[in-house]
Amino acid sequence: MPTQILLANLLTDLPEMTIAADSVDKELMDRPRRWSIDFIKRFMIAFGLLSSIFDFMTFGVLILLLHASETGFRTGWFVESVVSAAMIVLVIRTRKPFFRSMPAAILAMTTLIVVCLVIALPYTPLAPFFRSQPLPVEFLLALAIILALYVATAEIAKKMFYKVVNF
């Protein structure tokens, strides 16, 4: 729905606006690297494809396993897409494993706030305005599993990507 798309764009942009204040890994400060269009293109293709795989996984869970209604599907997709977009920024912001490179406090805080807001939204009086509905516990569990798999797979893909690209 248009209101969900606008809200999703706003919420995913909030943590990303704080990236300018983020900390940079020491080894990148010691030996700065130049960005290249070829690198950016390869990065976008690799991680865009990975994102699409997990999008389809979410669709499959919502439709085939949870038999979500139209509103349930929209709500589930909204929650998963915003939470995964916010979380994946923490993974791709560094070459290190994400848990070994602490983000700036403002990035971590805005990411946490956005994740909490998005998960809570379907249970608030604002839900009908955004054509959302409360999600069943099964979906929240499935969401946690999908997100854990996505983060783990992104970490593996990131390690392989930097090995191949040699950036």
Short mmCIF file of all heavy atoms in Angstrom, two decimals, residues 39-75:
data_model
loop_
_atom_site.label_atom_id
_atom_site.label_comp_id
_atom_site.label_asym_id
_atom_site.label_seq_id
_atom_site.Cartn_x
_atom_site.Cartn_y
_atom_site.Cartn_z
N PHE A 39 33.43 -1.80 -8.46
CA PHE A 39 33.23 -2.37 -7.13
C PHE A 39 31.78 -2.18 -6.68
O PHE A 39 31.13 -3.10 -6.20
CB PHE A 39 34.18 -1.72 -6.12
CG PHE A 39 33.87 -2.09 -4.70
CD1 PHE A 39 34.34 -3.28 -4.16
CD2 PHE A 39 33.08 -1.26 -3.90
CE1 PHE A 39 34.03 -3.63 -2.84
CE2 PHE A 39 32.78 -1.61 -2.60
CZ PHE A 39 33.25 -2.79 -2.07
N ILE A 40 31.28 -0.97 -6.81
CA ILE A 40 29.91 -0.67 -6.38
C ILE A 40 28.90 -1.52 -7.16
O ILE A 40 27.96 -2.06 -6.59
CB ILE A 40 29.61 0.84 -6.54
CG1 ILE A 40 30.50 1.63 -5.57
CG2 ILE A 40 28.13 1.14 -6.31
CD1 ILE A 40 30.48 3.13 -5.80
N LYS A 41 29.12 -1.67 -8.46
CA LYS A 41 28.23 -2.49 -9.29
C LYS A 41 28.23 -3.94 -8.81
O LYS A 41 27.17 -4.53 -8.62
CB LYS A 41 28.67 -2.41 -10.75
CG LYS A 41 27.80 -3.23 -11.69
CD LYS A 41 28.21 -3.03 -13.15
CE LYS A 41 29.59 -3.58 -13.37
NZ LYS A 41 30.04 -3.57 -14.76
N ARG A 42 29.40 -4.50 -8.58
CA ARG A 42 29.49 -5.89 -8.10
C ARG A 42 28.85 -6.05 -6.73
O ARG A 42 28.17 -7.04 -6.46
CB ARG A 42 30.95 -6.33 -8.05
CG ARG A 42 31.56 -6.54 -9.40
CD ARG A 42 33.00 -6.95 -9.25
NE ARG A 42 33.63 -7.09 -10.54
CZ ARG A 42 34.77 -7.71 -10.74
NH1 ARG A 42 35.41 -8.26 -9.72
NH2 ARG A 42 35.28 -7.79 -11.93
N PHE A 43 29.08 -5.08 -5.87
CA PHE A 43 28.51 -5.12 -4.53
C PHE A 43 26.98 -5.10 -4.60
O PHE A 43 26.29 -5.88 -3.94
CB PHE A 43 29.02 -3.93 -3.71
CG PHE A 43 28.71 -4.01 -2.25
CD1 PHE A 43 29.60 -4.63 -1.38
CD2 PHE A 43 27.53 -3.49 -1.73
CE1 PHE A 43 29.33 -4.71 -0.03
CE2 PHE A 43 27.25 -3.57 -0.38
CZ PHE A 43 28.15 -4.18 0.48
N MET A 44 26.44 -4.21 -5.41
CA MET A 44 24.99 -4.09 -5.56
C MET A 44 24.38 -5.37 -6.13
O MET A 44 23.33 -5.82 -5.66
CB MET A 44 24.64 -2.90 -6.46
CG MET A 44 24.88 -1.56 -5.81
SD MET A 44 24.67 -0.16 -6.92
CE MET A 44 23.07 -0.45 -7.60
N ILE A 45 25.04 -5.96 -7.09
CA ILE A 45 24.53 -7.20 -7.68
C ILE A 45 24.56 -8.33 -6.65
O ILE A 45 23.56 -9.03 -6.45
CB ILE A 45 25.31 -7.58 -8.95
CG1 ILE A 45 24.99 -6.59 -10.07
CG2 ILE A 45 25.00 -9.01 -9.39
CD1 ILE A 45 25.89 -6.69 -11.28
N ALA A 46 25.68 -8.50 -5.99
CA ALA A 46 25.82 -9.59 -5.02
C ALA A 46 24.81 -9.47 -3.89
O ALA A 46 24.07 -10.42 -3.58
CB ALA A 46 27.24 -9.63 -4.46
N PHE A 47 24.75 -8.31 -3.27
CA PHE A 47 23.88 -8.17 -2.11
C PHE A 47 22.43 -7.92 -2.49
O PHE A 47 21.52 -8.23 -1.72
CB PHE A 47 24.44 -7.13 -1.14
CG PHE A 47 25.67 -7.67 -0.45
CD1 PHE A 47 26.93 -7.43 -0.97
CD2 PHE A 47 25.55 -8.45 0.68
CE1 PHE A 47 28.06 -7.96 -0.36
CE2 PHE A 47 26.67 -8.99 1.29
CZ PHE A 47 27.93 -8.74 0.77
N GLY A 48 22.18 -7.40 -3.68
CA GLY A 48 20.81 -7.28 -4.19
C GLY A 48 20.20 -8.64 -4.45
O GLY A 48 19.04 -8.90 -4.10
N LEU A 49 21.00 -9.54 -5.04
CA LEU A 49 20.51 -10.90 -5.27
C LEU A 49 20.25 -11.63 -3.94
O LEU A 49 19.24 -12.32 -3.79
CB LEU A 49 21.51 -11.70 -6.11
CG LEU A 49 21.60 -11.30 -7.58
CD1 LEU A 49 22.75 -12.04 -8.26
CD2 LEU A 49 20.28 -11.60 -8.29
N LEU A 50 21.14 -11.45 -3.00
CA LEU A 50 20.96 -12.06 -1.68
C LEU A 50 19.68 -11.55 -1.02
O LEU A 50 18.89 -12.32 -0.48
CB LEU A 50 22.17 -11.78 -0.79
CG LEU A 50 22.15 -12.44 0.58
CD1 LEU A 50 22.15 -13.96 0.45
CD2 LEU A 50 23.34 -11.97 1.39
N SER A 51 19.45 -10.26 -1.10
CA SER A 51 18.23 -9.67 -0.54
C SER A 51 16.99 -10.26 -1.21
O SER A 51 16.01 -10.58 -0.53
CB SER A 51 18.27 -8.15 -0.73
OG SER A 51 17.06 -7.58 -0.32
N SER A 52 17.04 -10.41 -2.52
CA SER A 52 15.90 -10.97 -3.25
C SER A 52 15.60 -12.41 -2.84
O SER A 52 14.43 -12.79 -2.73
CB SER A 52 16.15 -10.92 -4.76
OG SER A 52 16.22 -9.57 -5.17
N ILE A 53 16.63 -13.18 -2.58
CA ILE A 53 16.42 -14.56 -2.12
C ILE A 53 15.64 -14.57 -0.81
O ILE A 53 14.69 -15.34 -0.65
CB ILE A 53 17.78 -15.29 -1.98
CG1 ILE A 53 18.39 -15.54 -3.35
CG2 ILE A 53 17.62 -16.59 -1.18
CD1 ILE A 53 19.85 -15.98 -3.32
N PHE A 54 16.02 -13.70 0.10
CA PHE A 54 15.32 -13.67 1.38
C PHE A 54 13.94 -13.02 1.28
O PHE A 54 13.05 -13.36 2.05
CB PHE A 54 16.21 -13.04 2.46
CG PHE A 54 17.23 -14.02 2.94
CD1 PHE A 54 18.47 -14.10 2.33
CD2 PHE A 54 16.93 -14.91 3.96
CE1 PHE A 54 19.41 -15.04 2.74
CE2 PHE A 54 17.85 -15.85 4.37
CZ PHE A 54 19.10 -15.92 3.77
N ASP A 55 13.75 -12.14 0.30
CA ASP A 55 12.40 -11.63 0.04
C ASP A 55 11.49 -12.77 -0.40
O ASP A 55 10.37 -12.91 0.10
CB ASP A 55 12.43 -10.56 -1.06
CG ASP A 55 13.08 -9.26 -0.62
OD1 ASP A 55 13.24 -9.06 0.60
OD2 ASP A 55 13.43 -8.46 -1.50
N PHE A 56 11.97 -13.58 -1.34
CA PHE A 56 11.16 -14.71 -1.80
C PHE A 56 10.92 -15.72 -0.69
O PHE A 56 9.85 -16.33 -0.61
CB PHE A 56 11.80 -15.38 -3.03
CG PHE A 56 11.66 -14.57 -4.28
CD1 PHE A 56 12.78 -14.13 -4.96
CD2 PHE A 56 10.41 -14.23 -4.79
CE1 PHE A 56 12.66 -13.37 -6.12
CE2 PHE A 56 10.27 -13.48 -5.94
CZ PHE A 56 11.40 -13.04 -6.61
N MET A 57 11.90 -15.90 0.17
CA MET A 57 11.72 -16.79 1.31
C MET A 57 10.59 -16.28 2.20
O MET A 57 9.74 -17.04 2.66
CB MET A 57 13.02 -16.91 2.11
CG MET A 57 12.93 -17.90 3.26
SD MET A 57 14.44 -17.94 4.26
CE MET A 57 15.66 -18.41 3.07
N THR A 58 10.58 -14.97 2.43
CA THR A 58 9.52 -14.36 3.24
C THR A 58 8.16 -14.54 2.57
O THR A 58 7.18 -14.90 3.22
CB THR A 58 9.81 -12.87 3.47
OG1 THR A 58 11.08 -12.75 4.11
CG2 THR A 58 8.74 -12.22 4.33
N PHE A 59 8.10 -14.30 1.26
CA PHE A 59 6.84 -14.52 0.54
C PHE A 59 6.36 -15.95 0.72
O PHE A 59 5.19 -16.20 0.97
CB PHE A 59 7.01 -14.25 -0.96
CG PHE A 59 7.32 -12.83 -1.34
CD1 PHE A 59 7.86 -12.55 -2.57
CD2 PHE A 59 7.07 -11.78 -0.47
CE1 PHE A 59 8.15 -11.24 -2.94
CE2 PHE A 59 7.35 -10.46 -0.83
CZ PHE A 59 7.89 -10.20 -2.07
N GLY A 60 7.28 -16.90 0.57
CA GLY A 60 6.93 -18.31 0.70
C GLY A 60 6.39 -18.63 2.09
O GLY A 60 5.39 -19.34 2.22
N VAL A 61 7.04 -18.13 3.10
CA VAL A 61 6.59 -18.38 4.48
C VAL A 61 5.20 -17.79 4.68
O VAL A 61 4.30 -18.43 5.23
CB VAL A 61 7.60 -17.81 5.51
CG1 VAL A 61 7.01 -17.78 6.90
CG2 VAL A 61 8.88 -18.65 5.49
N LEU A 62 5.00 -16.54 4.24
CA LEU A 62 3.71 -15.89 4.43
C LEU A 62 2.58 -16.59 3.68
O LEU A 62 1.49 -16.80 4.22
CB LEU A 62 3.78 -14.43 3.99
CG LEU A 62 4.57 -13.49 4.89
CD1 LEU A 62 4.81 -12.15 4.21
CD2 LEU A 62 3.83 -13.29 6.21
N ILE A 63 2.83 -16.96 2.44
CA ILE A 63 1.78 -17.54 1.60
C ILE A 63 1.62 -19.05 1.84
O ILE A 63 0.51 -19.52 2.09
CB ILE A 63 2.07 -17.27 0.11
CG1 ILE A 63 1.99 -15.77 -0.16
CG2 ILE A 63 1.09 -18.03 -0.79
CD1 ILE A 63 2.52 -15.35 -1.51
N LEU A 64 2.72 -19.78 1.77
CA LEU A 64 2.63 -21.24 1.79
C LEU A 64 2.55 -21.85 3.18
O LEU A 64 1.86 -22.84 3.38
CB LEU A 64 3.82 -21.84 1.03
CG LEU A 64 3.96 -21.39 -0.43
CD1 LEU A 64 5.25 -21.93 -1.03
CD2 LEU A 64 2.75 -21.83 -1.25
N LEU A 65 3.26 -21.26 4.13
CA LEU A 65 3.26 -21.84 5.48
C LEU A 65 2.22 -21.20 6.40
O LEU A 65 1.54 -21.90 7.15
CB LEU A 65 4.65 -21.72 6.12
CG LEU A 65 5.76 -22.52 5.47
CD1 LEU A 65 7.07 -22.29 6.21
CD2 LEU A 65 5.42 -23.99 5.44
N LEU A 66 2.11 -19.88 6.36
CA LEU A 66 1.22 -19.19 7.29
C LEU A 66 -0.15 -18.88 6.68
O LEU A 66 -1.05 -18.45 7.39
CB LEU A 66 1.87 -17.90 7.80
CG LEU A 66 3.17 -18.10 8.57
CD1 LEU A 66 3.76 -16.76 8.96
CD2 LEU A 66 2.93 -18.96 9.81
N HIS A 67 -0.29 -19.07 5.36
CA HIS A 67 -1.56 -18.82 4.67
C HIS A 67 -2.12 -17.44 5.04
O HIS A 67 -3.29 -17.30 5.40
CB HIS A 67 -2.58 -19.93 4.97
CG HIS A 67 -2.05 -21.30 4.72
ND1 HIS A 67 -1.83 -21.79 3.44
CD2 HIS A 67 -1.67 -22.27 5.58
CE1 HIS A 67 -1.34 -23.01 3.52
NE2 HIS A 67 -1.23 -23.33 4.81
N ALA A 68 -1.27 -16.45 4.95
CA ALA A 68 -1.62 -15.09 5.35
C ALA A 68 -2.71 -14.52 4.44
O ALA A 68 -2.72 -14.76 3.23
CB ALA A 68 -0.38 -14.19 5.29
N SER A 69 -3.60 -13.75 5.06
CA SER A 69 -4.60 -13.00 4.30
C SER A 69 -3.87 -11.88 3.56
O SER A 69 -2.68 -11.64 3.77
CB SER A 69 -5.64 -12.41 5.25
OG SER A 69 -5.01 -11.43 6.08
N GLU A 70 -4.61 -11.15 2.73
CA GLU A 70 -4.00 -10.04 2.00
C GLU A 70 -3.40 -9.01 2.96
O GLU A 70 -2.26 -8.58 2.80
CB GLU A 70 -5.05 -9.39 1.10
CG GLU A 70 -4.51 -8.29 0.22
CD GLU A 70 -5.56 -7.69 -0.70
OE1 GLU A 70 -6.51 -8.39 -1.05
OE2 GLU A 70 -5.40 -6.51 -1.04
N THR A 71 -4.17 -8.64 3.98
CA THR A 71 -3.68 -7.66 4.96
C THR A 71 -2.53 -8.25 5.77
O THR A 71 -1.55 -7.56 6.06
CB THR A 71 -4.82 -7.19 5.89
OG1 THR A 71 -5.86 -6.66 5.07
CG2 THR A 71 -4.35 -6.14 6.86
N GLY A 72 -2.64 -9.51 6.14
CA GLY A 72 -1.57 -10.18 6.87
C GLY A 72 -0.29 -10.24 6.06
O GLY A 72 0.81 -10.04 6.58
N PHE A 73 -0.43 -10.52 4.75
CA PHE A 73 0.73 -10.56 3.87
C PHE A 73 1.39 -9.19 3.80
O PHE A 73 2.61 -9.06 3.95
CB PHE A 73 0.34 -11.02 2.46
CG PHE A 73 1.49 -11.07 1.51
CD1 PHE A 73 2.28 -12.20 1.43
CD2 PHE A 73 1.81 -9.97 0.72
CE1 PHE A 73 3.38 -12.24 0.56
CE2 PHE A 73 2.90 -10.00 -0.14
CZ PHE A 73 3.68 -11.14 -0.22
N ARG A 74 0.58 -8.14 3.59
CA ARG A 74 1.14 -6.78 3.51
C ARG A 74 1.84 -6.39 4.80
O ARG A 74 2.92 -5.81 4.79
CB ARG A 74 0.04 -5.76 3.19
CG ARG A 74 -0.36 -5.72 1.74
CD ARG A 74 -1.15 -4.46 1.44
NE ARG A 74 -2.30 -4.29 2.29
CZ ARG A 74 -3.56 -4.54 1.94
NH1 ARG A 74 -3.81 -4.98 0.73
NH2 ARG A 74 -4.54 -4.35 2.79
N THR A 75 1.20 -6.74 5.93
CA THR A 75 1.79 -6.40 7.23
C THR A 75 3.10 -7.16 7.43
O THR A 75 4.11 -6.58 7.83
CB THR A 75 0.81 -6.72 8.37
OG1 THR A 75 -0.42 -6.04 8.14
CG2 THR A 75 1.38 -6.32 9.72
#
